[in-house]
Amino acid sequence: MNKNIYMDNAATTPMKKEVLDAMIPYYTEKFGNPSSIYAQGREAKKALDESRDKVARILGATDKEIFFTSGGSESDNWAIKGACYANKNKGNHIITTKIEHHAVLHACEYLERNGFDVTYLDVDEYGMIDIDDLKNAITDKTILITIMFANNEVGTIQPIKEIGKIAKDNDILFHTDAVQAVGNIRIDVEELNIDLLSLSAHKFYGPKGIGALYIKKGTKIHPYIHGGAQERNKRAGTENVASVVGLTKALELAYENLDEHNNKLKRLRDKLINDITKNISHTKLNGHPEKRLPGNVNISMKYIEGESLLLSLDMVNIAASSGSACTSGSLDPSHVLLAMGLSHGVAHGSLRLSLGDFNTEEEVDYVVENLIDIVARLRKMSPLFENVKEEE
Amino acid sequence: MNKNIYMDNAATTPMKKEVLDAMIPYYTEKFGNPSSIYAQGREAKKALDESRDKVARILGATDKEIFFTSGGSESDNWAIKGACYANKNKGNHIITTKIEHHAVLHACEYLERNGFDVTYLDVDEYGMIDIDDLKNAITDKTILITIMFANNEVGTIQPIKEIGKIAKDNDILFHTDAVQAVGNIRIDVEELNIDLLSLSAHKFYGPKGIGALYIKKGTKIHPYIHGGAQERNKRAGTENVASVVGLTKALELAYENLDEHNNKLKRLRDKLINDITKNISHTKLNGHPEKRLPGNVNISMKYIEGESLLLSLDMVNIAASSGSACTSGSLDPSHVLLAMGLSHGVAHGSLRLSLGDFNTEEEVDYVVENLIDIVARLRKMSPLFENVKEEE
Amino acid sequence: MYTEKVMEHFRNPRNVGEIEDADGVGEVGNAKCGDIMKIYLKIENGIIKDVKFKTFGCGSAIASSSMATELIKGKSIEEAMELTNKAVAEALDGLPAVKMHCSVLAEQAVKSALLDYSKKNNIVIEGLEDFNPDEDHHH
Amino acid sequence: MYTEKVMEHFRNPRNVGEIEDADGVGEVGNAKCGDIMKIYLKIENGIIKDVKFKTFGCGSAIASSSMATELIKGKSIEEAMELTNKAVAEALDGLPAVKMHCSVLAEQAVKSALLDYSKKNNIVIEGLEDFNPDEDHHH
Ligand SMILES: Cc1ncc(COP(=O)(O)O)c(C=O)c1O
Ligand SMILES: Cc1ncc(COP(=O)(O)O)c(C=O)c1O
């Protein structure tokens, strides 16, 4: 197999051809500024309106509740800071988890430095929060609960509906970072009692640099980027029409084929998990065995370090990711794996293979085959493995 | 002439073919996440690094001083709020002008609601600030001067070098919204003493939804979008590689052909100004006669209202813009024209024709011809014009 | 943003112009707000025989004036008095929310011209007792 | 991000393995930080006759170990003592800034093995008087 095998779809996805095809006209003839009243502007405005409508419908929202942003990180920052500042007269307490994406964690930490209190909920060994912990964390100063829909590293899916209900019952805003969930899970914001939801197109075969924030009607939230009257006066900046059209097309495709997509991914995922853990000793699946994203495989490969694993995989044209500190430029390995109770050493050696629509069974076989050799080679080099062999 | 004539290049520009061609590979095969270490990621990272380097070189900066954003509005918000919050220990006073873009004005107003004081400098009838006003406005609490390079409505170019020098001498940060200037004016941030500079690609034949903020080395500024370690930990979010490549290509093309572009634009601009003011009575050029953007024409057409003028132009396939309140959804006409001393009535009737690389002399003739008829027709309908005719 | 009907009336406004010897003239709005409408009426035996308008304003202001004049032409004063801004907007297949004030202006311009007529002829038109266009007009 | 040289040493690391009857063994780093290096020395007449390493760590850790062993193999103890992390990094055509600590670790692993040798043989190696690898190692 001499083509590239891409198994890092949780980091970003290849864009679908249909998506690019839908975008191109808005880069060429339909380039107008949607705020303008002449033909080119109206065409762009129409595309924007129709896109908003389609996105809304897919999420069970109305068009007036969808705001386009520059991606997941902006959506998270806006939702959290915008909602907290707008509601600070009601309280200054936020509840989140220890396994959020950095866009949420660092936004919360920023607010901590600016007068807010944040509770970071623990998770269990599967990356699941405890609903009672959430209930106990609520105080009369709690104004926002922000808990991710599905985790980007280990794929664990939180009980969003229950969380939404608790938030609603306590009159607290509920934001969910659904960046990994959108395109993989059917979501109805109404049914799930979600007030704010972040999504990002490049996670579901759309372009990078475009996302959306769902803001339930009536939610008090400040704009985050001030300026022109775009996005109903809530998010300034000339609209990125081509990318909005791309996001929408990608979202439509994802939900048209959701069952097919999920069945295929789950089959490949379970095969991958099975084949790896069966054929390689000292491996352990991270994340929830059932409540996990259809394409997520996260396995600790004890006694070896993640970055050298990734480099070795890259040498045989396999693209994957790891919770190793060495790949993130930070000192500590994945905060998610640590929160789930993994030791630093084991967390450094975790491997994430995230499957997507373009992966095949043949590729899964190729990955497993190569992984067996690579792990053996790296372990042979590892001083940590010496003693293990002796123990065995 | 039955093709569309686009003369609203200050609102947004058509994307150049070379730009789209440069972007496409980053939507197709080179789609990787630049933070990843495998082949697809490295390709994307390389493109990102090279782009940053090229943009830096064109602005007289270094690569470590260029941060990509989602556009001009984000750059403005980041520069202003990020710098003010990071320097609030030094003071809480900001100096800006009355003719800034809303992205700057509303960011300043936001800060006013949060403990900062803002001085909005007046401008003269040409839209120029008075350097003495600026000097007099400085207090020992002034931490930021934010003054636009060139105005988007009337094209007036401010004395940036002088402003930069004053800021530097007084140890105050200087931000300039150069969204309209970049691509039209040669800029050396070092020579002009600029600490922070905003730019946006879709104003110079690049894609929408991508921009940059130049941050001079050593400038104290908070990140605006928190999260991942992208953009040297200062601007989170998976990088929009395709658009960054597009921005860079567009910027390179703009500066390769700057003189040619400017000569052509100035020629068409002056012809347009001349032909309109000569052939239509009761018209007046807005903005500075010389210190103006090469493509900007802004003329008040007394006794008629801007939106009906634009609709009429659209009927003959001409795309233009106006300072009329009716086109902005607000009650008041252009704050820029009002600051320059125009009456409400006259400001409502202003017309902006902004020329770009794709306009021709033939188009200019066509516009003037049609404008003569349209203005005559609308004036015939205008109750304000009755008395005028009598006076004449 | 505008309906085809609005655009059609904008492109081909009906009844543009002045009536030299008008029986009633009304002008509402001001240049500051960006719209002024002036309506001229020719009234015979309580019937609006002719009507003309002049408008400084945006597309919907012109279309609203045009439509309003169409709706009252040939009608009795009483019928003209029943003209509402809603009727003008509906006849145009709707106006954007931010432009509804244009239809209000059209209604008021008609009333204002009728008021002028009533004053000149020293008659009372029911419904105009408290009418004050300057007071009512705001965006 | 890595130079071709780093990748070459990562792909084909020199001197991987153990020396059963090593004269000196040094281990630095810890699993918590994500890198551990273990170096085995065979020393005869003050000359490093053989050297092997085992490393748990990232690409640059493995390449640095490999390069360090290459640089000291066949050299005298004094020459090996002169090995600096900078020399390791330079021999690899450079390391990313965030990875410089890997070359530090390699230098320390060598020193640590030499220290072990000196202790076992009750000799003093100049420059190791104050060496404490556990204390020095941090990212
Ligand atoms: C002077 C000026 N500043 C800021 C902006 C905002 O840029 P963007 O629309 O890319 O956010 C614009 C254009 O809309 C502008 O002309
Ligand atoms: C869970 C989660 N939240 C937020 C983000 C940030 O999205 P973006 O990179 O589009 O800003 C990501 C991906 O990077 C993610 O996986």
Side-chain angles (χ1 to χ4, degrees):
Chain A
M1 200 168 286
N2 54 12
K3 67 157 197 144
N4 289 323
I5 293 171
Y6 186 74
M7 289 206 185
D8 201 14
N9 290 281
T12 196
T13 50
M15 207 159 83
K16 285 186 184 155
K17 193 180 170 313
E18 298 95 310
V19 173
L20 181 57
D21 290 347
M23 292 169 69
I24 298 282
Y26 297 92
Y27 280 140
T28 54
E29 69 268 29
K30 304 183 185 180
F31 67 88
N33 187 323
S35 306
S36 312
I37 67 175
Y38 42 76
Q40 296 93 328
R42 290 197 306 270
E43 281 174 340
K45 180 72 159 59
K46 185 155 170 278
L48 200 60
D49 289 348
E50 286 176 1
S51 295
R52 201 184 306 283
D53 214 57
K54 287 176 186 169
V55 171
R57 221 164 310 166
I58 288 172
L59 297 174
T62 63
D63 61 341
K64 293 196 169 61
E65 298 175 315
I66 302 296
F67 298 84
F68 293 111
T69 69
S70 69
S73 300
E74 184 191 328
S75 292
D76 286 342
N77 274 262
W78 180 14
I80 294 169
K81 296 182 204 163
C84 284
Y85 281 120
N87 293 282
K88 70 175 178 205
N89 61 316
K90 290 199 200 156
N92 70 339
H93 181 233
I94 307 163
I95 301 174
T96 185
T97 78
K98 288 191 174 154
I99 60 160
E100 297 298 312
H101 189 269
H102 282 135
V104 168
L105 286 181
H106 293 171
C108 287
E109 288 159 11
Y110 173 82
L111 289 175
E112 274 189 298
R113 291 193 295 277
N114 288 279
F116 289 84
D117 291 331
V118 183
T119 300
Y120 299 90
L121 298 178
D122 286 321
V123 294
D124 65 17
E125 58 174 313
Y126 302 115
M128 251 330 157
I129 65 153
D130 181 333
I131 281 288
D132 287 329
D133 283 357
L134 170 62
K135 286 184 189 154
N136 294 334
I138 292 174
T139 74
D140 57 0
K141 290 213 173 314
T142 309
I143 52 173
L144 178 72
I145 295 172
T146 170
I147 294 181
M148 72 198 316
F149 208 119
N151 184 269
N152 45 312
E153 296 191 33
V154 297
T156 303
I157 299 168
Q158 302 297 334
I160 293 300
K161 192 169 176 175
E162 279 183 78
I163 299 170
K165 174 117 186 16
I166 292 168
K168 194 180 180 183
D169 290 348
N170 289 276
D171 211 11
I172 297 166
L173 288 177
F174 174 37
H175 166 248
T176 187
D177 174 346
V179 169
Q180 291 287 335
V182 170
N184 291 311
I185 299 173
R186 222 175 283 281
I187 295 175
D188 184 314
V189 288
E190 201 64 46
E191 183 196 324
L192 298 175
N193 283 314
I194 295 167
D195 297 303
L196 298 151
L197 178 144
S198 305
L199 62 88
S200 183
H202 72 100
K203 306 288 186 180
F204 49 86
Y205 314 96
K208 296 175 180 59
I210 189 80
L213 181 63
Y214 157 79
I215 304 177
K216 196 200 191 85
K217 202 174 157 236
T219 303
K220 268 185 73 182
I221 184 164
H222 285 166
Y224 194 56
I225 296 184
H226 292 90
Q230 293 93 350
E231 301 291 310
R232 297 164 55 77
N233 256 313
K234 280 209 155 59
R235 201 286 188 184
T238 304
E239 300 92 338
N240 188 347
V241 183
S243 294
V244 164
V245 167
L247 178 153
T248 306
K249 186 76 199 168
L251 195 68
E252 284 187 288
L253 290 173
Y255 284 94
E256 267 170 28
N257 301 306
L258 191 68
D259 294 338
E260 197 189 316
H261 159 94
N262 280 352
N263 291 339
K264 179 190 154 177
L265 255 48
K266 279 181 191 163
R267 195 170 48 76
L268 294 184
R269 175 193 73 185
D270 293 343
K271 180 174 159 59
L272 199 46
I273 292 173
N274 206 45
D275 290 0
I276 293 174
T277 51
K278 221 176 53 196
N279 288 297
I280 307 180
S281 67
H282 308 289
T283 49
K284 182 184 154 294
L285 179 70
N286 294 316
H288 200 282
E290 287 109 40
K291 292 175 189 154
R292 76 185 298 134
L293 287 170
N296 178 286
V297 174
N298 189 308
I299 293 179
S300 288
M301 308 276 173
K302 281 205 206 166
Y303 315 121
I304 61 176
E305 191 277 334
E307 195 213 70
S308 51
L309 186 55
L310 297 190
L311 290 173
S312 305
L313 287 167
D314 181 48
M315 280 158 50
V316 292
N317 301 321
I318 298 167
S321 143
S322 158
S324 161
C326 284
T327 62
S328 68
S330 75
L331 291 179
D332 284 320
S334 155
H335 66 283
V336 175
L337 297 177
L338 295 181
M340 287 163 60
L342 270 70
S343 73
H344 274 70
V346 175
H348 278 297
S350 71
L351 174 69
R352 181 184 72 182
L353 294 160
S354 45
L355 297 155
D357 281 351
F358 299 111
N359 292 123
T360 62
E361 188 157 340
E362 201 192 352
E363 290 181 343
V364 167
D365 289 335
Y366 177 85
V367 167
V368 173
E369 231 168 77
N370 278 280
L371 203 53
I372 293 171
D373 292 348
I374 289 167
V375 171
R377 177 176 174 272
L378 289 174
R379 283 188 177 159
K380 224 179 109 191
M381 242 190 266
S382 170
L384 295 173
F385 200 57
E386 287 173 23
N387 318 325
V388 180
K389 281 182 298 184
E390 284 157 22
E391 281 161 27
E392 276 174 323
Chain B
M1 199 168 286
N2 54 11
K3 66 158 200 146
N4 288 323
I5 293 172
Y6 186 74
M7 288 206 184
D8 201 14
N9 290 281
T12 196
T13 51
M15 207 159 82
K16 285 185 182 155
K17 192 180 171 314
E18 299 95 308
V19 173
L20 181 57
D21 289 347
M23 292 170 69
I24 298 281
Y26 297 91
Y27 281 139
T28 54
E29 70 266 29
K30 304 184 185 180
F31 67 87
N33 187 322
S35 305
S36 312
I37 67 175
Y38 42 76
Q40 295 93 328
R42 289 196 306 271
E43 280 174 340
K45 180 72 158 61
K46 187 156 168 278
L48 200 58
D49 288 348
E50 287 176 1
S51 295
R52 201 184 306 284
D53 214 56
K54 287 176 187 167
V55 171
R57 220 163 311 167
I58 289 172
L59 297 175
T62 63
D63 60 342
K64 293 196 170 61
E65 299 174 315
I66 302 297
F67 299 84
F68 293 111
T69 68
S70 67
S73 300
E74 183 190 330
S75 292
D76 286 342
N77 274 262
W78 180 13
I80 293 169
K81 296 182 204 163
C84 284
Y85 282 121
N87 292 283
K88 69 176 176 203
N89 61 316
K90 290 199 201 158
N92 70 339
H93 180 233
I94 306 163
I95 301 173
T96 185
T97 77
K98 288 190 174 154
I99 61 160
E100 297 299 311
H101 188 269
H102 282 134
V104 168
L105 286 182
H106 293 169
C108 287
E109 288 159 11
Y110 174 82
L111 288 175
E112 274 189 297
R113 290 192 296 276
N114 287 279
F116 289 83
D117 290 331
V118 183
T119 300
Y120 299 89
L121 298 177
D122 286 321
V123 294
D124 65 16
E125 59 174 312
Y126 303 114
M128 247 336 152
I129 65 153
D130 180 333
I131 281 289
D132 287 330
D133 283 356
L134 170 63
K135 287 185 188 154
N136 293 335
I138 293 173
T139 74
D140 56 1
K141 292 213 171 316
T142 309
I143 53 175
L144 179 72
I145 294 171
T146 171
I147 294 180
M148 73 199 313
F149 208 119
N151 184 269
N152 45 311
E153 295 190 34
V154 297
T156 303
I157 299 168
Q158 301 298 334
I160 294 300
K161 192 169 177 176
E162 278 184 79
I163 299 169
K165 173 119 189 16
I166 291 168
K168 194 180 180 184
D169 290 347
N170 288 277
D171 212 12
I172 297 166
L173 288 177
F174 174 37
H175 166 248
T176 187
D177 173 346
V179 169
Q180 291 287 335
V182 171
N184 290 312
I185 299 174
R186 222 174 282 284
I187 295 176
D188 184 314
V189 287
E190 201 65 46
E191 185 196 324
L192 298 176
N193 284 313
I194 295 167
D195 297 302
L196 298 152
L197 177 142
S198 304
L199 63 88
S200 184
H202 72 99
K203 305 288 187 180
F204 48 86
Y205 314 97
K208 295 176 181 56
I210 189 78
L213 181 63
Y214 157 78
I215 304 178
K216 195 199 192 86
K217 202 173 157 237
T219 303
K220 270 185 72 184
I221 184 165
H222 285 167
Y224 194 56
I225 296 184
H226 292 91
Q230 293 94 348
E231 301 291 307
R232 300 164 54 78
N233 255 313
K234 281 209 154 64
R235 202 285 188 183
T238 303
E239 300 91 337
N240 187 348
V241 184
S243 295
V244 165
V245 167
L247 177 153
T248 307
K249 186 75 197 169
L251 195 67
E252 284 188 288
L253 291 173
Y255 283 95
E256 267 169 28
N257 301 306
L258 192 66
D259 294 339
E260 197 188 317
H261 159 95
N262 280 351
N263 291 339
K264 179 189 154 177
L265 255 48
K266 280 181 192 164
R267 196 172 45 78
L268 293 185
R269 175 193 73 186
D270 294 342
K271 180 174 159 59
L272 199 44
I273 293 173
N274 207 45
D275 289 0
I276 293 174
T277 51
K278 222 177 54 198
N279 289 297
I280 307 180
S281 67
H282 306 291
T283 51
K284 182 182 155 295
L285 180 69
N286 294 314
H288 200 281
E290 287 108 39
K291 291 173 188 159
R292 76 186 297 136
L293 287 171
N296 178 286
V297 174
N298 189 309
I299 293 180
S300 288
M301 306 277 172
K302 281 205 205 166
Y303 315 118
I304 61 178
E305 191 278 334
E307 196 213 69
S308 50
L309 186 54
L310 297 189
L311 289 174
S312 304
L313 285 166
D314 182 47
M315 279 158 50
V316 291
N317 302 318
I318 299 168
S321 145
S322 159
S324 160
C326 284
T327 64
S328 67
S330 74
L331 289 181
D332 283 323
S334 156
H335 65 284
V336 175
L337 297 178
L338 295 182
M340 286 162 60
L342 269 71
S343 73
H344 275 70
V346 175
H348 278 296
S350 72
L351 173 69
R352 180 183 73 180
L353 294 161
S354 45
L355 295 154
D357 281 352
F358 298 112
N359 291 122
T360 62
E361 188 157 337
E362 200 191 354
E363 290 181 342
V364 166
D365 289 335
Y366 177 85
V367 167
V368 173
E369 231 167 79
N370 278 280
L371 204 52
I372 293 171
D373 292 347
I374 289 167
V375 172
R377 177 175 173 272
L378 290 173
R379 283 191 177 157
K380 226 180 109 191
M381 242 190 267
S382 170
L384 295 173
F385 201 57
E386 288 172 23
N387 318 326
V388 179
K389 281 183 296 184
E390 284 158 23
E391 281 161 27
E392 275 172 324
Chain C
M1 71 184 173
Y2 288 132
T3 62
E4 203 23 65
K5 201 69 161 272
V6 171
M7 286 309 296
E8 208 273 307
H9 272 265
F10 175 71
R11 271 191 294 264
N12 307 300
R14 327 308 194 233
N15 310 310
V16 176
E18 300 165 40
I19 299 176
E20 289 286 319
D21 55 346
D23 298 313
V25 180
E27 183 174 315
V28 293
N30 61 61
K32 188 163 189 292
C33 291
D35 31 33
I36 300 177
M37 280 184 205
K38 195 165 179 183
I39 285 197
Y40 302 80
L41 298 175
K42 191 79 202 158
I43 297 178
E44 277 174 34
N45 301 327
I47 301 294
I48 298 173
K49 283 286 172 192
D50 197 10
V51 49
K52 296 275 184 204
F53 81 89
K54 283 211 168 179
T55 290
F56 161 86
C58 61
S60 63
I62 290 172
S64 296
S65 318
S66 168
M67 182 52 85
T69 57
E70 279 250 292
L71 290 172
I72 61 166
K73 196 168 175 175
K75 298 284 163 63
S76 67
I77 289 175
E78 288 70 31
E79 282 168 325
M81 276 300 296
E82 276 165 20
L83 181 79
T84 62
N85 80 299
K86 239 181 114 223
V88 173
E90 273 169 16
L92 289 166
D93 291 344
L95 284 173
V98 292
K99 300 287 188 169
M100 279 307 286
H101 69 90
C102 293
S103 61
V104 174
L105 215 56
E107 178 196 328
Q108 294 183 326
V110 170
K111 295 220 163 85
S112 181
L114 288 171
L115 184 65
D116 182 50
Y117 172 75
S118 74
K119 283 186 182 157
K120 279 183 182 152
N121 293 280
N122 231 333
I123 60 170
V124 174
I125 297 178
E126 207 176 326
L128 282 185
E129 299 82 359
D130 304 321
F131 177 68
N132 182 347
D134 298 332
E135 208 172 65
D136 277 21
H137 176 60
H138 55 104
H139 278 264
Chain D
M1 73 182 170
Y2 287 133
T3 63
E4 202 24 64
K5 203 69 162 272
V6 171
M7 285 310 295
E8 208 274 307
H9 274 262
F10 174 73
R11 272 190 295 264
N12 307 301
R14 329 306 196 234
N15 310 310
V16 175
E18 300 166 38
I19 298 176
E20 289 285 320
D21 54 347
D23 299 313
V25 179
E27 183 174 318
V28 293
N30 61 61
K32 187 163 188 294
C33 291
D35 32 33
I36 300 178
M37 281 185 203
K38 194 164 178 181
I39 284 197
Y40 302 81
L41 298 176
K42 192 76 203 160
I43 297 179
E44 277 175 34
N45 302 327
I47 301 293
I48 297 171
K49 282 288 174 192
D50 198 9
V51 49
K52 296 276 184 204
F53 82 89
K54 283 210 168 179
T55 290
F56 161 85
C58 61
S60 63
I62 290 172
S64 296
S65 318
S66 169
M67 182 52 85
T69 58
E70 279 250 291
L71 289 172
I72 62 166
K73 195 167 177 177
K75 298 283 162 66
S76 67
I77 290 174
E78 289 70 32
E79 284 169 325
M81 278 299 297
E82 277 165 19
L83 181 79
T84 61
N85 80 299
K86 239 184 112 220
V88 172
E90 274 170 13
L92 289 167
D93 292 344
L95 284 174
V98 292
K99 300 289 187 168
M100 280 306 287
H101 69 90
C102 293
S103 62
V104 173
L105 215 56
E107 178 196 326
Q108 294 184 325
V110 170
K111 295 221 162 85
S112 181
L114 288 171
L115 184 65
D116 182 49
Y117 170 76
S118 74
K119 283 184 182 158
K120 278 181 181 153
N121 293 278
N122 232 332
I123 59 170
V124 173
I125 297 179
E126 207 174 327
L128 282 184
E129 301 82 359
D130 304 322
F131 177 68
N132 182 345
D134 298 332
E135 209 171 64
D136 276 22
H137 177 60
H138 54 107
H139 279 262

